[in-house]
Every structure is written in structure tokens, then in C-alpha cells.
């Protein structure tokens, strides 16, 4: 496993963030960006090594959280051939487990799903390589260890003491810390000179501080920080077995919010309605912004309203102060919004067209609100309010996105196998209960979903919206 690959884990979230959204990067030698390893004659067995946990907030959830339903719906949408093994891990100090899905397929990543107050999140992580890496964790401490089983052999390494070429072997490990909503790779360790002299371990804390070398094996080096005797390996079961187990435990996940049957449009007002011509980088563009605010009480509602203003304040300022000297350009050319609602749910959908040399595609910002509670709800609660089975959304998406991945949509040089791979990757990345794939129901009751549309060139995917029809 490469150092760059592991950056996928700590970037994201990191999605979350939680856990973790991870950037795609190529495989390189994991020690390529480190200083040259010290030789055994320069390593000091008395070198002090101190491990400390990252200074990050911890999120804990009550056992009453309906994580069973979230994992149940997510697992039903996965291919058990791609993910033959899964396990529930209690990584952080709460009563809600994290879900780890392991795959042996080279063209798929492992998945780690976790639950926060805002719902279910899934992150792709290349944590495990088949028969190559051990994954152990200390229950409810937030710590886990990735440790290569095998060794990489490096030939013709000059021995500084003799001047002769020798064979050097290395083995890598990573100390990780899980906060409850994100992953952090705290320490990167390289164990060198296995069998080619006294072994030593080189440790980096992922900062600009120089790596430290100690005459020790990896287990002894991290013993005080990571109690290897108490570490656990995941208890794997099949997806089918876990589905059956969760089915008997799942709670009724906010079947309906209910309680409001009035005009939902009255709950949203226009904060700004401005437009005009502006000149940016010597080019004249017409901007139009109609920006909403939600007229409900509650801290989360206030936070959403501030978030909306912050998204578009630069464009508004350009329009309102067209004669002033501006730096940069607004992110959006036009901004408008629509309001939908049903059974106590308010859906505010903000649509924007990006600003650039060529105008970028539409972007959507979706806020689904429980009107009575004055808070956002996740996709599972939204689907239950509209009495729609998540599996129907999953099936409809797979069927109705397919026409975008036919031979007619690509040049003749693109093979059908490549097109099929793009389609399968797009379908695999979609989950109706993953809040990355935000959704709303229009005035006719048809769901529109945001999804990752995988593509041939440029970014691995672009975000697109697709309305699903019966």
C-alpha cells in the first residue's frame, strides 16, 4: 500500500466530513517523500519515541440512534460478490458501530460506512490489500493499525559502513486514529533492514518533523501507544448474514414527519433578488441571483441560512457594487430556487450555473427539513415520509442512468468494455441512503437524485442530477 494511496483516507471525510472523502492518486513508493533511511550503525536504540493522539473533536452517538436501519438499507443495495465480507467495528467510544466492507477485487475499494447525527456516510478506502495488510483495532479507543504482512525487497543498497552493495528489505505500517467522524493517519512507520543486519524502525508523524529511527521492531516501538495484545481483527460475516441480523433489530426510522399540511412555499422567503452585467477578467457577463432563506426557528435552520448566504455572497457583491474593483470572479452565473413539500417535509432546492471560461453545468444544493422539528433529515427519513422503498430508488437509478452509457454516447475509439466499467462504477457509487447522493421529490412526486457520473477524462466523476420516473 502506498503513502499516496493512504492520503485518500486522510483527505476526504473525510469526508465527513467523516470519514473520510478521499482523493484519487497513483501508486508510488511509500517512502519516496521521506529522507533516506538511516543505516543500522547510525540508529540509536535509546532514541525516545512518543506517540500522541491527534487533537481532533470526537463525535459520540446514543445507542438509540437507528443505525440498524441505515446499514440495512445500505447493505441491500450492495453487490455481495464484490464485497464478500463485512464487519461491525466499534472504533470510537460510543454504542454505534462502524461498518467495514472488504473486497478482494483490484478495481474496487474497501468501504467504511459510519453514522453521524446527520445520517449515514460512506467512504472508499484502499485500506486492505489481499494477503498483504493486517487491519487490527483497539475497541472504542479510536486507534487502529495497518501493518503490511509482506516485505518489499530493495537490491543494491549501499552499506555506509562497508561501502558494498547489500540487499535491504522494508516493511510498512500506519497508525491511524478514528474520531467518530473522520480518519487521521497519525504515524507512518517503515521497518528496514530485515534480515540484512540489525533491524531498525523509522517513524514519521506526518508533519514536517524529521523521521526518527530506533533499533526496534514495529510491535515493540508502538507497544506503549498501541497495545498489540489487546488488538482485534474484524469479525467478518457475509452481507446476507448481516442483513438478516439487522432486519430483526432495525427500528422504525421516522416513518413520517407529518403535522404540517400548509403551503410550504410560505416557509421560504427571498433574501436577495439581484441581477446585472459585470465585467470580470475583461469579459462581460450577466449575473442573476435569487437567494432564499428558510423562515423556521432553530439553530440548524440558522446555520443553513448562513451557509446559503455564504455560498453566493461574492456574486451578490459583484452585482450590487459593479463599479468597484473586484478580485477574482464569482463561482456562479445564475442562482435560483424551488420549494417542494409533503407530509411535514420541506425541500428547498437551489439550482446554480457555474461561472467559467465556458459556463459549467448546473449545481444543486438540497436541504430537506422536518418542519415540526426545525432540522434537516437524511435520505432514509425523506424516503419514509414519501413511503418509498430505498431499493426501488436503487433499481430505478441503475435502469434509468444506463442510456447515458451506451456506445452512441461515446466516440468510436472507446470500447464497450470501458463504457460498461464507467456505468458499473457509477451505479456502485450510488446509494439511496448515502447523504452524498442528496435527493428531493418534485411536485409530481418524482425523485431527483444527485449522483457521481463517472467519466473517461479529467476528474474521475462529475456530479449530475437525474430525475427518476415510475
Amino acid at each position: 500500500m502506498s503513502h499516496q494511496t493512504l492520503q485518500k483516507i486522510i483527505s476526504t471525510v473525510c469526508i465527513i466530513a467523516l470519514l473520510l472523502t478521499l482523493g484519487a492518486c497513483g501508486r508510488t513508493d511509500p517512502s519516496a517523500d521521506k529522507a533516506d533511511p538511516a543505516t543500522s550503525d547510525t540508529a540509536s536504540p535509546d532514541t525516545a519515541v512518543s506517540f500522541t493522539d491527534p487533537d481532533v473533536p470526537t463525535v459520540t452517538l446514543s445507542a438509540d440512534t437507528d443505525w440498524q436501519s441505515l446499514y440495512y438499507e445500505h447493505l441491500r443495495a450492495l453487490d455481495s460478490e464484490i464485497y464478500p465480507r463485512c464487519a461491525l467495528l466499534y472504533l470510537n467510544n460510543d454504542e454505534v458501530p462502524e461498518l467495514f466492507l472488504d473486497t478482494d477485487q483490484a478495481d474496487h475499494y474497501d468501504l467504511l460506512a459510519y453514522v453521524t447525527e446527520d445520517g449515514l456516510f460512506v467512504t472508499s478506502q484502499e485500506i486492505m490489500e489481499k494477503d498483504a495488510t493486517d487491519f487490527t483495532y483497539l475497541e472504542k479507543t479510536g486507534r487502529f493499525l495497518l501493518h503490511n504482512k509482506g516485505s518489499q525487497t530493495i537490491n543494491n543498497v549501499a552499506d555506509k559502513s562497508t561501502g558494498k552493495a547489500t540487499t535491504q528489505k522494508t516493511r510498512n505500517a500506519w497508525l491511524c486514529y478514528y474520531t467518530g467522524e473522520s480518519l487521521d493517519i497519525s504515524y507512518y512507520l517503515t521497518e528496514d533492514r530485515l534480515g540484512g543486519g540489525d533491524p531498525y524502525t523509522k517513524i514519521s508523524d506526518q508533519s514536517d518533523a524529521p523521521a526518527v529511527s530506533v533499533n526496534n521492531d514495529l510491535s515493540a516501538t508502538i507497544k506503549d501507544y498501541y497495545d498489540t495484545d489487546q488488538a482485534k481483527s474484524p469479525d467478518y460475516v457475509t452481507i446476507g448474514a448481516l442483513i438478516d441480523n439487522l432486519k430483526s433489530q432495525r427500528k422504525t426510522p421516522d416513518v413520517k414527519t407529518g403535522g404540517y399540511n400548509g403551503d410550504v412555499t410560505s416557509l421560504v422567503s427571498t433574501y436577495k433578488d439581484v441581477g446585472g452585467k459585470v465585467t470580470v477578467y475583461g469579459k462581460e457577463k450577466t449575473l442573476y441571483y435569487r437567494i432564499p432563506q428558510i423562515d423556521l426557528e432553530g439553530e440548524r435552520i440558522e446555520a443553513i441560512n448562513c451557509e446559503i448566504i455564504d455560498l453566493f455572497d461574492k456574486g451578490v457583491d459583484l452585482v450590487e457594487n459593479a463599479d468597484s474593483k473586484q478580485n477574482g470572479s464569482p463561482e456562479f452565473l445564475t442562482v435560483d430556487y424551488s420549494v417542494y413539500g409533503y407530509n411535514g417535509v420541506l425541500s428547498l432546492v437551489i439550482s446554480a450555473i457555474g461561472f467559467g471560461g465556458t459556463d459549467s453545468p448546473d449545481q444543486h444544493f438540497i436541504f430537506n427539513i422536518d418542519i415540526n422539528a426545525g432540522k434537516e433529515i437524511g435520505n432514509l427519513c425523506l424516503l419514509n415520509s414519501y413511503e418509498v422503498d430505498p431499493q426501488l430508488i436503487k433499481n430505478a437509478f441503475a435502469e434509468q442512468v444506463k442510456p447515458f452509457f451506451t456506445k452512441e454516447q461515446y466516440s468510436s475509439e472507446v470500447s464497450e468494455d470501458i463504457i460498461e466499467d464507467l456505468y458499473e462504477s457509477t451505479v456502485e457509487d450510488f446509494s439511496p441512503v448515502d447523504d452524498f447522493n442528496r435527493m428531493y421529490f418534485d411536485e409530481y412526486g418524482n425523485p431527483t437524485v444527485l449522483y457521481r457520473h463517472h467519466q473517461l477524462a479529467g476528474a474521475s466523476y462529475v456530479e449530475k442530477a437525474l430525475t427518476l420516473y415510475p
Side-chain angles (χ1 to χ4, degrees):
M1 189 188 321
S2 72
H3 176 65
Q4 285 193 13
T5 295
L6 279 166
Q7 296 306 315
K8 299 174 184 173
I9 303 177
I10 59 175
S11 63
T12 196
V13 181
C14 164
I15 130 259
I16 166 288
L18 159 140
L19 278 171
L20 4 166
T21 268
L22 301 168
C25 50
R27 293 184 174 275
T28 61
D29 178 0
S31 60
D33 58 344
K34 306 295 177 185
D36 292 337
T39 57
S40 59
D41 60 317
T42 62
S44 169
D46 300 321
T47 301
V49 178
S50 176
F51 294 106
T52 56
D53 296 336
D55 184 16
V56 290
T58 298
V59 176
T60 57
L61 298 174
S62 166
D64 294 333
T65 302
D66 190 18
W67 57 268
Q68 295 94 335
S69 291
L70 292 168
Y71 288 158
Y72 172 80
E73 297 294 358
H74 180 64
L75 289 167
R76 288 205 303 157
L78 291 176
D79 187 337
S80 59
E81 292 186 3
I82 296 175
Y83 300 101
R85 295 172 298 278
C86 58
L88 294 176
L89 315 176
Y90 286 88
L91 293 178
N92 59 315
N93 189 23
D94 63 17
E95 301 305 317
V96 178
E98 289 66 51
L99 171 63
F100 180 69
L101 294 115
D102 185 27
T103 180
D104 294 332
Q105 298 194 18
D107 56 344
H108 290 84
Y109 290 145
D110 301 323
L111 299 179
L112 183 61
Y114 58 96
V115 175
T116 74
E117 293 175 345
D118 294 323
L120 174 74
F121 293 85
V122 181
T123 186
S124 298
Q125 304 174 64
E126 198 169 2
I127 288 181
M128 303 277 283
E129 294 179 23
K130 186 178 181 182
D131 299 328
T133 307
D134 277 328
F135 174 25
T136 57
Y137 68 101
L138 294 176
E139 192 163 89
K140 294 193 175 184
T141 68
R143 300 184 180 102
F144 65 94
L145 177 68
L146 309 178
H147 191 169
N148 281 12
K149 295 178 182 176
S151 300
Q152 176 189 11
T153 300
I154 304 175
N155 294 314
N156 299 322
V157 176
D159 188 309
K160 292 183 179 180
S161 61
T162 66
K164 295 180 180 179
T166 63
T167 297
Q168 178 174 299
K169 293 183 178 180
T170 65
R171 186 168 61 203
N172 304 312
W174 294 263
L175 280 175
C176 311
Y177 192 80
Y178 176 65
T179 72
E181 66 173 7
S182 63
L183 289 180
D184 184 82
I185 306 302
S186 303
Y187 299 97
Y188 168 74
L189 306 97
T190 304
E191 188 174 47
D192 290 309
R193 295 293 291 273
L194 302 176
D198 293 336
Y200 62 86
T201 298
K202 197 175 171 194
I203 303 170
S204 168
D205 64 359
Q206 297 297 306
S207 72
D208 293 333
V212 176
S213 295
V214 294
N215 269 339
N216 246 323
D217 60 37
L218 289 177
S219 296
T221 302
I222 65 172
K223 178 67 176 177
D224 290 340
Y225 173 84
Y226 188 90
D227 190 345
T228 52
D229 294 336
Q230 298 298 316
K232 295 183 176 182
S233 295
D235 248 344
Y236 290 112
V237 297
T238 65
I239 282 182
L242 188 53
I243 286 176
D244 289 342
N245 178 265
L246 294 174
K247 187 175 183 180
S248 63
Q249 299 180 41
R250 65 195 298 254
K251 304 175 179 66
T252 303
D254 296 321
V255 175
K256 296 182 177 68
T257 54
Y260 184 88
N261 294 308
D263 179 11
V264 292
T265 60
S266 67
L267 303 178
V268 177
S269 60
T270 299
Y271 168 73
K272 289 283 186 179
D273 191 345
V274 298
K277 293 185 181 297
V278 300
T279 300
V280 181
Y281 297 132
K283 293 184 178 180
E284 188 177 75
K285 292 283 187 177
T286 299
L287 305 187
Y288 170 66
Y289 282 56
R290 192 170 75 105
I291 301 174
Q293 294 281 270
I294 302 170
D295 298 327
L296 291 171
E297 301 295 328
E299 290 185 5
R300 181 52 191 154
I301 300 298
E302 291 179 9
I304 291 172
N305 284 335
C306 290
E307 178 183 339
I308 292 170
I309 293 173
D310 290 344
L311 278 170
F312 310 115
D313 60 351
K314 189 168 187 177
V316 170
D317 187 57
L318 270 174
V319 173
E320 293 183 333
N321 302 281
D323 295 333
S324 65
K325 190 172 183 179
Q326 301 289 339
N327 294 319
S329 65
E331 189 173 352
F332 306 99
L333 272 174
T334 64
V335 177
D336 208 343
Y337 69 89
S338 302
V339 180
Y340 309 101
Y342 176 77
N343 203 18
V345 172
L346 163 69
S347 293
L348 172 60
V349 182
I350 304 175
S351 300
I353 295 178
F355 186 102
T358 58
D359 298 340
S360 58
D362 290 350
Q363 297 187 50
H364 297 81
F365 304 90
I366 300 172
F367 303 94
N368 292 308
I369 308 296
D370 180 327
I371 296 171
N372 288 333
K375 66 177 184 179
E376 272 191 288
I377 57 175
N379 289 347
L380 187 58
C381 181
L382 176 71
L383 291 169
N384 276 276
S385 295
Y386 278 81
E387 300 177 341
V388 174
D389 185 338
Q391 192 64 28
L392 294 178
I393 298 292
K394 177 72 177 180
N395 295 342
F397 175 79
E399 177 183 348
Q400 294 179 37
V401 79
K402 181 68 174 176
F404 301 120
F405 295 94
T406 60
K407 187 66 176 174
E408 293 73 23
Q409 306 298 321
Y410 295 84
S411 65
S412 58
E413 293 82 10
V414 181
S415 71
E416 292 186 0
D417 287 344
I418 292 177
I419 297 172
E420 183 65 21
D421 286 345
L422 293 173
Y423 167 71
E424 290 178 355
S425 297
T426 298
V427 171
E428 180 193 339
D429 273 359
F430 177 76
S431 168
V433 296
D434 178 2
D435 279 353
F436 178 91
N437 304 120
R438 301 291 289 174
M439 66 179 68
Y440 66 92
F441 287 79
D442 64 20
E443 65 268 34
Y444 305 107
N446 296 316
T448 294
V449 298
L450 298 186
Y451 71 97
R452 300 173 174 97
H453 186 102
H454 281 255
Q455 54 184 13
L456 279 172
S460 60
Y461 65 82
V462 294
E463 183 181 280
K464 291 191 175 183
L466 176 65
T467 299
L468 306 176
Y469 298 97

